[in-house]
Amino acid sequence: MVRATGRNHVDVCLDESGVMLSYAWTLNGKVAQTKTATAFDLTPTITAATFASTTPPVPGAVVSTGDGPAAAAAAANGVAVTAQPLAAADIAQLTPAVVPPAGAVYHAGFVRVDASAQPPEITSSLLYLVGNELVSVDYSNGGGAPPGHRVGLAGGHSGYLQVDLDQTSVTVASSDGSVVDIVASDPALVLAFAHDLSFAAPPPVPPVSGGSGASGASGT
Amino acid sequence: MPPTKHQRAADRAAQRARVRAEEARRADRESRRDRRRAVIGRIARWGTAVIVVVVVVGAAGIFGDRGIRALMRPAPGHLPPITPAAAYMITYRETFPDIVRTEVDTVQRPFHSVSLTLSVPDGGIVTGDLTNDQGSWIYSTTEGWSLLDPGQQAAGNDPQPAYAIARGLHHGLARVLGTQTILGRTCTLV
C-alpha cells in the first residue's frame, strides 16, 4: 500500500460488514474501473450446489468436471499443480516452525507440487483459523528478493511485510534458501504469526527404509 | 533459477486477468472510436454535466449541506467498527472505459466463493472463478470449470480491505472522505 495521489488512487466505500459497496480505481488521472453494488445480501441461501463445479453457474451454462480439454491444455502449458495432505511428521520438519498465537487453531496442511517448474516447485501450506479468518503459512524453495518493507522478528531474524487491499503477507527467507510466506487479510494477524515463528532447528529425521515419499521433500 | 512463489502467484493472477485484459483492449478500441465521435457527443456531454449538477444540488436537498461538506472534506479519520460477514452475496455493476459488466459474488468464509462476470444486457458468462474444498477453478464458456490450483485455500474474490485500510489510515496512507448511502446502507468512503 502506497500513498494515494490525485492521479492514482482507489476509492472504496466499506459497509459495516467490511464488504465493499463501491470501488473506483483512478489510473493516471482517468477512471479505469468502477464497481457499484446493485444488490447485497448478508444471509444468502447457500446449498451444497452453490460452490460445486458440477453446477451450471447460470441456467444453460456449460458444465465441466474439470478434467476436460481446458485442464489438459493447462497441464500442457505447464500450470499443472497437484496437492496432497501434509503428514504430521512432515510438518515437524518445517522450519521456521509456526507457534500459533492465542486463538489460532490449526486446520489443515497440504503439499503442492508444481511439476511445470524445473526443478518442480514444492510448497507446503499450513492453514490456521482465527475465528473465520484464515492464515496460510506457505513454505517454498523461494528465490528472488521478497517484496515489502523489512520488519524485525525474533532472534534477530527479519521478514518483509507487504500490505495490499485484499491481502497481507510477511515473507521470511531462511539461510538455506527456502522462503516462508504468511498470508492473511489482517496485517495484525500476519505479524503475530511472524513474530512467533520459532527458528530452532527441527528434530532429526528418523531413518526411513525403502526411500522417502513425495511429502518427504515438503520442508523446502 | 526456479520461479519463486511470488512469480507463480503472479502467473496465476495473470492467467485469471487474461479475459479482463482482453476486455481492456476492446475498451481501448472502442475508446478510440468514441473519440472520433467526440464532436457529435459534445452536446450530450454538456447535457450530462447539467444532470450531474442537478444530482449534486438534489443530494444537498436530500442530505443537507452538512452531509455534502462531509463528503467533500478530506480528513484522516478512522473506520467505524467492522463486523465481518460470515457469508454474503453481492452484485456489482462494473464499468471499464466503454464496457459495462455485471459481477455476482457469493462468499462463504473462509474457504468458499464463486464469482461470475456477466455481459450486459444478455447476462451471458464472460468469466468465472470458483473456490471450494477441491481447490480454485476458472470458468471457460466452452469447457466449463477447470481446476487450476488444487487443495483447500482462501476464498477468492473476497477482498477484506478494512484491515489494510485501517492500517493505511494509521500510517497516513489513506483518509476517510465521508460516508455514502448505497442500497440503503451507510458505508464509509475512503
Side-chain angles (χ1 to χ4, degrees), chain A residues 166-208:
Chain A
D166 56 348
Q167 73 173 27
T168 293
S169 65
V170 166
T171 303
V172 181
S174 294
S175 55
D176 64 357
S178 64
V179 164
V180 183
D181 282 303
I182 303 171
V183 183
S185 297
D186 186 350
L189 261 183
V190 169
L191 286 170
F193 270 76
H195 284 300
D196 288 349
L197 285 173
S198 170
F199 291 85
V205 182
V208 178

Side-chain angles (χ1 to χ4, degrees), chain B residues 89-100:
Chain B
M89 182 175 185
I90 191 163
T91 303
Y92 292 107
R93 180 180 185 273
E94 183 177 24
T95 69
F96 299 93
D98 301 318
I99 286 186
V100 178

Side-chain angles (χ1 to χ4, degrees), chain B residues 36-94:
Chain B
R36 288 195 294 271
R37 297 173 178 168
V39 174
I40 298 172
R42 189 169 297 153
I43 294 173
R45 284 201 298 277
W46 277 111
T48 303
V50 170
I51 291 170
V52 169
V53 171
V54 169
V55 168
V56 170
V57 172
I62 295 168
F63 299 113
D65 64 336
R66 271 182 58 193
I68 294 297
R69 277 205 304 271
L71 270 175
M72 304 300 290
R73 183 178 59 236
H78 63 275
L79 294 177
I82 300 289
T83 305
Y88 64 90
M89 182 175 185
I90 191 163
T91 303
Y92 292 107
R93 180 180 185 273
E94 183 177 24

Side-chain angles (χ1 to χ4, degrees), chain A residues 98-187:
Chain A
V98 175
V99 181
V105 178
Y106 175 74
H107 175 76
F110 298 93
V111 57
R112 288 186 174 84
V113 179
D114 183 349
S116 68
Q118 290 301 325
E121 182 183 347
I122 301 170
T123 303
S124 300
S125 298
L126 305 179
L127 305 182
Y128 293 85
L129 289 173
V130 183
N132 247 352
E133 298 296 328
L134 178 68
V135 180
S136 180
V137 183
D138 304 325
Y139 298 77
S140 63
N141 36 339
H149 301 286
R150 185 180 175 280
V151 291
L153 303 178
H157 295 275
S158 59
Y160 289 84
L161 173 68
Q162 173 89 6
V163 180
D164 293 318
L165 272 185
D166 56 348
Q167 73 173 27
T168 293
S169 65
V170 166
T171 303
V172 181
S174 294
S175 55
D176 64 357
S178 64
V179 164
V180 183
D181 282 303
I182 303 171
V183 183
S185 297
D186 186 350

